[in-house]
Short mmCIF file of all heavy atoms in Angstrom, two decimals:
data_model
loop_
_atom_site.label_atom_id
_atom_site.label_comp_id
_atom_site.label_asym_id
_atom_site.label_seq_id
_atom_site.Cartn_x
_atom_site.Cartn_y
_atom_site.Cartn_z
N SER A 484 -8.02 -13.65 17.23
CA SER A 484 -8.13 -14.03 15.82
C SER A 484 -8.65 -15.47 15.78
O SER A 484 -7.88 -16.45 15.58
CB SER A 484 -6.77 -13.92 15.14
OG SER A 484 -6.87 -14.19 13.76
N ILE A 485 -9.89 -15.70 15.99
CA ILE A 485 -10.52 -16.97 16.04
C ILE A 485 -10.93 -17.37 14.59
O ILE A 485 -11.42 -16.58 13.78
CB ILE A 485 -11.80 -16.93 16.96
CG1 ILE A 485 -11.30 -16.66 18.41
CG2 ILE A 485 -12.55 -18.27 16.90
CD1 ILE A 485 -12.39 -16.44 19.40
N GLN A 486 -10.60 -18.64 14.35
CA GLN A 486 -10.87 -19.27 13.01
C GLN A 486 -10.20 -18.55 11.89
O GLN A 486 -10.81 -18.31 10.78
CB GLN A 486 -12.39 -19.37 12.79
CG GLN A 486 -12.83 -20.75 12.47
CD GLN A 486 -14.30 -20.92 12.43
OE1 GLN A 486 -15.11 -20.01 12.92
NE2 GLN A 486 -14.77 -22.06 11.98
N SER A 487 -8.94 -18.16 12.07
CA SER A 487 -8.19 -17.52 11.03
C SER A 487 -7.18 -18.46 10.46
O SER A 487 -6.84 -19.44 11.01
CB SER A 487 -7.50 -16.24 11.53
OG SER A 487 -8.48 -15.29 11.89
N LEU A 488 -6.59 -18.11 9.27
CA LEU A 488 -5.61 -18.99 8.61
C LEU A 488 -4.23 -18.30 8.62
O LEU A 488 -4.12 -17.18 8.13
CB LEU A 488 -6.00 -19.23 7.14
CG LEU A 488 -7.34 -19.87 6.91
CD1 LEU A 488 -7.71 -19.89 5.46
CD2 LEU A 488 -7.31 -21.31 7.55
N PHE A 489 -3.20 -18.99 9.19
CA PHE A 489 -1.88 -18.44 9.24
C PHE A 489 -0.90 -19.42 8.43
O PHE A 489 0.23 -19.48 8.64
CB PHE A 489 -1.38 -18.37 10.64
CG PHE A 489 -2.06 -17.22 11.42
CD1 PHE A 489 -3.11 -17.50 12.10
CD2 PHE A 489 -1.57 -15.98 11.40
CE1 PHE A 489 -3.82 -16.48 12.86
CE2 PHE A 489 -2.15 -14.95 12.13
CZ PHE A 489 -3.33 -15.22 12.83
N ASN A 490 -1.50 -20.33 7.63
CA ASN A 490 -0.75 -21.40 6.96
C ASN A 490 0.46 -20.83 6.26
O ASN A 490 0.45 -19.83 5.53
CB ASN A 490 -1.61 -22.12 5.91
CG ASN A 490 -2.84 -22.78 6.50
OD1 ASN A 490 -2.95 -22.89 7.75
ND2 ASN A 490 -3.70 -23.25 5.73
N GLY A 491 1.57 -21.52 6.49
CA GLY A 491 2.87 -21.17 5.76
C GLY A 491 3.49 -19.86 6.22
O GLY A 491 4.42 -19.46 5.58
N SER A 492 2.99 -19.21 7.25
CA SER A 492 3.55 -17.98 7.72
C SER A 492 4.81 -18.24 8.52
O SER A 492 5.01 -19.31 9.08
CB SER A 492 2.57 -17.18 8.49
OG SER A 492 1.50 -16.74 7.73
N ILE A 493 5.63 -17.13 8.62
CA ILE A 493 6.90 -17.25 9.35
C ILE A 493 6.83 -16.22 10.51
O ILE A 493 6.52 -15.09 10.22
CB ILE A 493 8.13 -16.97 8.44
CG1 ILE A 493 8.22 -17.94 7.32
CG2 ILE A 493 9.37 -16.93 9.24
CD1 ILE A 493 9.22 -17.62 6.26
N PHE A 494 7.12 -16.78 11.70
CA PHE A 494 7.13 -15.87 12.91
C PHE A 494 8.61 -15.97 13.43
O PHE A 494 9.02 -16.93 13.95
CB PHE A 494 6.18 -16.46 13.96
CG PHE A 494 4.78 -16.45 13.56
CD1 PHE A 494 4.27 -17.56 12.88
CD2 PHE A 494 3.89 -15.42 13.83
CE1 PHE A 494 2.94 -17.60 12.49
CE2 PHE A 494 2.57 -15.43 13.41
CZ PHE A 494 2.08 -16.57 12.74
N LYS A 495 9.31 -14.87 13.28
CA LYS A 495 10.71 -14.76 13.69
C LYS A 495 10.90 -13.64 14.70
O LYS A 495 10.55 -12.49 14.43
CB LYS A 495 11.64 -14.57 12.54
CG LYS A 495 13.07 -14.63 12.90
CD LYS A 495 13.95 -14.63 11.69
CE LYS A 495 15.42 -14.66 12.11
NZ LYS A 495 16.37 -14.61 11.07
N ASN A 496 11.45 -13.97 15.87
CA ASN A 496 11.71 -12.95 16.96
C ASN A 496 10.42 -12.24 17.32
O ASN A 496 10.35 -11.03 17.42
CB ASN A 496 12.76 -11.96 16.46
CG ASN A 496 14.08 -12.58 16.15
OD1 ASN A 496 14.49 -13.57 16.86
ND2 ASN A 496 14.79 -12.04 15.28
N CYS A 497 9.37 -13.02 17.50
CA CYS A 497 8.07 -12.50 17.80
C CYS A 497 7.55 -12.80 19.22
O CYS A 497 8.10 -13.72 19.84
CB CYS A 497 7.00 -13.03 16.80
SG CYS A 497 7.30 -12.48 15.14
N GLU A 498 6.56 -12.11 19.67
CA GLU A 498 5.92 -12.40 20.98
C GLU A 498 4.44 -12.48 20.77
O GLU A 498 3.83 -11.68 19.97
CB GLU A 498 6.18 -11.25 21.96
CG GLU A 498 7.64 -11.03 22.27
CD GLU A 498 7.81 -9.87 23.19
OE1 GLU A 498 6.84 -9.50 23.93
OE2 GLU A 498 8.91 -9.26 23.19
N MET A 499 3.78 -13.50 21.39
CA MET A 499 2.31 -13.57 21.46
C MET A 499 1.92 -13.56 22.91
O MET A 499 2.26 -14.44 23.73
CB MET A 499 1.85 -14.88 20.82
CG MET A 499 2.07 -14.97 19.36
SD MET A 499 1.44 -16.53 18.74
CE MET A 499 1.68 -16.40 16.99
N ASN A 500 1.23 -12.51 23.30
CA ASN A 500 0.89 -12.27 24.72
C ASN A 500 -0.63 -12.04 24.88
O ASN A 500 -1.20 -11.25 24.19
CB ASN A 500 1.68 -11.02 25.29
CG ASN A 500 3.13 -11.12 25.17
OD1 ASN A 500 3.71 -12.10 25.50
ND2 ASN A 500 3.75 -10.14 24.57
N ASN A 501 -1.16 -12.81 25.83
CA ASN A 501 -2.60 -12.62 26.17
C ASN A 501 -3.53 -12.58 24.98
O ASN A 501 -4.35 -11.63 24.86
CB ASN A 501 -2.74 -11.33 27.03
CG ASN A 501 -1.85 -11.37 28.25
OD1 ASN A 501 -1.88 -12.27 29.01
ND2 ASN A 501 -1.05 -10.30 28.41
N SER A 502 -3.37 -13.51 24.05
CA SER A 502 -4.16 -13.50 22.85
C SER A 502 -4.90 -14.85 22.67
O SER A 502 -4.61 -15.87 23.31
CB SER A 502 -3.18 -13.32 21.59
OG SER A 502 -2.60 -12.03 21.72
N ASP A 503 -5.94 -14.82 21.82
CA ASP A 503 -6.78 -16.04 21.55
C ASP A 503 -6.72 -16.33 20.02
O ASP A 503 -7.21 -15.52 19.29
CB ASP A 503 -8.14 -15.84 22.06
CG ASP A 503 -9.03 -17.02 21.99
OD1 ASP A 503 -8.57 -18.04 21.51
OD2 ASP A 503 -10.18 -16.90 22.46
N PHE A 504 -6.14 -17.49 19.75
CA PHE A 504 -6.08 -17.87 18.36
C PHE A 504 -6.88 -19.27 18.11
O PHE A 504 -6.61 -19.99 17.25
CB PHE A 504 -4.64 -18.16 17.95
CG PHE A 504 -3.75 -16.94 17.94
CD1 PHE A 504 -2.99 -16.68 19.05
CD2 PHE A 504 -3.77 -16.04 16.97
CE1 PHE A 504 -2.15 -15.55 19.09
CE2 PHE A 504 -3.10 -14.84 17.01
CZ PHE A 504 -2.23 -14.60 18.06
N SER A 505 -7.87 -19.41 18.99
CA SER A 505 -8.69 -20.66 18.96
C SER A 505 -9.22 -20.89 17.53
O SER A 505 -9.64 -19.99 16.86
CB SER A 505 -9.87 -20.55 19.95
OG SER A 505 -9.30 -20.44 21.29
N LYS A 506 -9.30 -22.23 17.23
CA LYS A 506 -9.78 -22.71 15.90
C LYS A 506 -9.04 -22.14 14.73
O LYS A 506 -9.58 -22.20 13.59
CB LYS A 506 -11.33 -22.44 15.79
CG LYS A 506 -12.09 -23.12 16.86
CD LYS A 506 -13.57 -22.81 16.64
CE LYS A 506 -14.38 -23.48 17.77
NZ LYS A 506 -15.88 -23.15 17.64
N SER A 507 -7.92 -21.56 14.88
CA SER A 507 -7.09 -21.08 13.80
C SER A 507 -6.16 -22.21 13.24
O SER A 507 -5.97 -23.17 13.85
CB SER A 507 -6.23 -19.80 14.21
OG SER A 507 -7.10 -18.73 14.48
N ASP A 508 -5.70 -21.96 11.99
CA ASP A 508 -4.89 -22.94 11.30
C ASP A 508 -3.48 -22.40 11.14
O ASP A 508 -3.28 -21.36 10.57
CB ASP A 508 -5.54 -23.26 9.99
CG ASP A 508 -4.95 -24.37 9.27
OD1 ASP A 508 -3.88 -24.87 9.71
OD2 ASP A 508 -5.55 -24.85 8.26
N PHE A 509 -2.49 -23.13 11.78
CA PHE A 509 -1.13 -22.79 11.74
C PHE A 509 -0.32 -23.82 10.98
O PHE A 509 0.90 -23.94 11.20
CB PHE A 509 -0.55 -22.60 13.18
CG PHE A 509 -1.03 -21.41 13.90
CD1 PHE A 509 -2.19 -21.46 14.66
CD2 PHE A 509 -0.36 -20.19 13.84
CE1 PHE A 509 -2.63 -20.33 15.33
CE2 PHE A 509 -0.77 -19.09 14.54
CZ PHE A 509 -1.91 -19.17 15.25
N GLU A 510 -0.97 -24.57 10.15
CA GLU A 510 -0.23 -25.65 9.44
C GLU A 510 0.97 -25.18 8.61
O GLU A 510 0.75 -24.24 7.83
CB GLU A 510 -1.25 -26.40 8.60
CG GLU A 510 -0.58 -27.62 7.88
CD GLU A 510 -1.59 -28.47 7.14
OE1 GLU A 510 -2.80 -28.22 7.28
OE2 GLU A 510 -1.22 -29.33 6.42
N GLY A 511 2.07 -25.78 8.83
CA GLY A 511 3.23 -25.41 7.99
C GLY A 511 3.91 -24.13 8.28
O GLY A 511 4.67 -23.60 7.52
N THR A 512 3.60 -23.54 9.45
CA THR A 512 4.26 -22.33 9.87
C THR A 512 5.71 -22.56 10.42
O THR A 512 5.94 -23.70 10.87
CB THR A 512 3.48 -21.54 10.91
OG1 THR A 512 3.20 -22.39 12.05
CG2 THR A 512 2.15 -21.11 10.35
N ILE A 513 6.53 -21.60 10.37
CA ILE A 513 7.86 -21.65 10.90
C ILE A 513 7.92 -20.66 12.12
O ILE A 513 7.60 -19.49 11.94
CB ILE A 513 8.93 -21.25 9.92
CG1 ILE A 513 8.82 -22.10 8.65
CG2 ILE A 513 10.29 -21.29 10.50
CD1 ILE A 513 9.17 -23.51 8.87
N TRP A 514 8.21 -21.19 13.28
CA TRP A 514 8.34 -20.38 14.55
C TRP A 514 9.77 -20.42 14.97
O TRP A 514 10.36 -21.42 15.43
CB TRP A 514 7.44 -20.98 15.65
CG TRP A 514 5.97 -20.99 15.31
CD1 TRP A 514 5.34 -20.55 14.23
CD2 TRP A 514 4.96 -21.47 16.22
NE1 TRP A 514 4.02 -20.74 14.34
CE2 TRP A 514 3.74 -21.26 15.54
CE3 TRP A 514 4.97 -21.99 17.56
CZ2 TRP A 514 2.49 -21.58 16.12
CZ3 TRP A 514 3.74 -22.30 18.02
CH2 TRP A 514 2.50 -22.09 17.37
N THR A 515 10.41 -19.25 14.84
CA THR A 515 11.91 -19.13 15.24
C THR A 515 11.94 -18.04 16.33
O THR A 515 11.61 -16.92 16.03
CB THR A 515 12.71 -18.80 14.03
OG1 THR A 515 12.56 -19.78 13.06
CG2 THR A 515 14.16 -18.72 14.45
N ASN A 516 12.39 -18.46 17.50
CA ASN A 516 12.59 -17.49 18.63
C ASN A 516 11.25 -16.79 18.92
O ASN A 516 11.20 -15.57 18.96
CB ASN A 516 13.67 -16.42 18.26
CG ASN A 516 14.26 -15.89 19.53
OD1 ASN A 516 14.19 -16.49 20.64
ND2 ASN A 516 14.85 -14.76 19.43
N LEU A 517 10.18 -17.58 19.04
CA LEU A 517 8.82 -17.08 19.26
C LEU A 517 8.51 -17.28 20.75
O LEU A 517 8.63 -18.42 21.25
CB LEU A 517 7.81 -17.81 18.41
CG LEU A 517 6.33 -17.57 18.70
CD1 LEU A 517 6.00 -16.12 18.34
CD2 LEU A 517 5.47 -18.50 17.88
N PHE A 518 8.16 -16.22 21.43
CA PHE A 518 7.81 -16.39 22.86
C PHE A 518 6.26 -16.26 23.00
O PHE A 518 5.66 -15.33 22.43
CB PHE A 518 8.42 -15.21 23.65
CG PHE A 518 8.06 -15.26 25.05
CD1 PHE A 518 8.64 -16.16 25.96
CD2 PHE A 518 7.10 -14.37 25.58
CE1 PHE A 518 8.34 -16.19 27.34
CE2 PHE A 518 6.72 -14.34 26.94
CZ PHE A 518 7.35 -15.28 27.78
N VAL A 519 5.67 -17.25 23.65
CA VAL A 519 4.21 -17.35 23.77
C VAL A 519 3.91 -17.26 25.29
O VAL A 519 4.42 -18.02 26.04
CB VAL A 519 3.60 -18.57 23.15
CG1 VAL A 519 2.14 -18.67 23.34
CG2 VAL A 519 3.99 -18.68 21.72
N ASP A 520 3.05 -16.34 25.70
CA ASP A 520 2.62 -16.18 27.04
C ASP A 520 1.14 -15.93 27.18
O ASP A 520 0.60 -15.05 26.58
CB ASP A 520 3.40 -14.99 27.68
CG ASP A 520 3.04 -14.83 29.18
OD1 ASP A 520 2.96 -15.84 29.88
OD2 ASP A 520 2.92 -13.69 29.62
N ASN A 521 0.42 -16.85 27.92
CA ASN A 521 -0.97 -16.71 28.23
C ASN A 521 -1.81 -16.59 26.89
O ASN A 521 -2.62 -15.64 26.76
CB ASN A 521 -1.21 -15.58 29.12
CG ASN A 521 -2.59 -15.66 29.79
OD1 ASN A 521 -3.15 -16.73 30.00
ND2 ASN A 521 -3.23 -14.46 30.08
N CYS A 522 -1.71 -17.56 26.01
CA CYS A 522 -2.39 -17.54 24.76
C CYS A 522 -3.25 -18.77 24.63
O CYS A 522 -2.87 -19.84 25.16
CB CYS A 522 -1.42 -17.45 23.56
SG CYS A 522 -0.59 -15.83 23.43
N PHE A 523 -4.34 -18.66 23.98
CA PHE A 523 -5.19 -19.83 23.74
C PHE A 523 -5.13 -20.32 22.29
O PHE A 523 -5.10 -19.52 21.32
CB PHE A 523 -6.68 -19.46 24.00
CG PHE A 523 -6.97 -19.17 25.42
CD1 PHE A 523 -6.98 -17.85 25.86
CD2 PHE A 523 -7.21 -20.15 26.32
CE1 PHE A 523 -7.18 -17.60 27.24
CE2 PHE A 523 -7.48 -19.88 27.68
CZ PHE A 523 -7.45 -18.56 28.07
N PHE A 524 -4.89 -21.64 22.17
CA PHE A 524 -4.77 -22.24 20.83
C PHE A 524 -5.76 -23.45 20.83
O PHE A 524 -5.49 -24.55 20.34
CB PHE A 524 -3.39 -22.84 20.54
CG PHE A 524 -2.35 -21.70 20.41
CD1 PHE A 524 -1.65 -21.24 21.48
CD2 PHE A 524 -2.14 -21.17 19.18
CE1 PHE A 524 -0.68 -20.28 21.39
CE2 PHE A 524 -1.21 -20.18 18.99
CZ PHE A 524 -0.45 -19.71 20.11
N LYS A 525 -6.95 -23.29 21.33
CA LYS A 525 -7.98 -24.33 21.52
C LYS A 525 -8.41 -24.81 20.17
O LYS A 525 -8.84 -23.98 19.30
CB LYS A 525 -9.12 -23.86 22.34
CG LYS A 525 -10.16 -24.88 22.62
CD LYS A 525 -11.23 -24.36 23.50
CE LYS A 525 -12.25 -25.49 23.74
NZ LYS A 525 -13.39 -24.96 24.60
N SER A 526 -8.41 -26.07 19.89
CA SER A 526 -8.86 -26.67 18.64
C SER A 526 -8.13 -26.14 17.45
O SER A 526 -8.80 -25.92 16.36
CB SER A 526 -10.36 -26.49 18.49
OG SER A 526 -11.06 -27.15 19.56
N CYS A 527 -6.85 -25.83 17.60
CA CYS A 527 -6.09 -25.29 16.38
C CYS A 527 -5.45 -26.44 15.59
O CYS A 527 -5.26 -27.53 16.11
CB CYS A 527 -4.97 -24.43 16.89
SG CYS A 527 -5.55 -22.73 17.37
#
């Protein structure tokens, strides 16, 4: 999901595995119990 907007979103009890979120916008998000493995957040 390159160059996508996730502003203000809530991630609760989630997993992000082997994914690419480069150039995406996560401003103001809430991450609670979020597990991240092998993900790209280049220039986010």
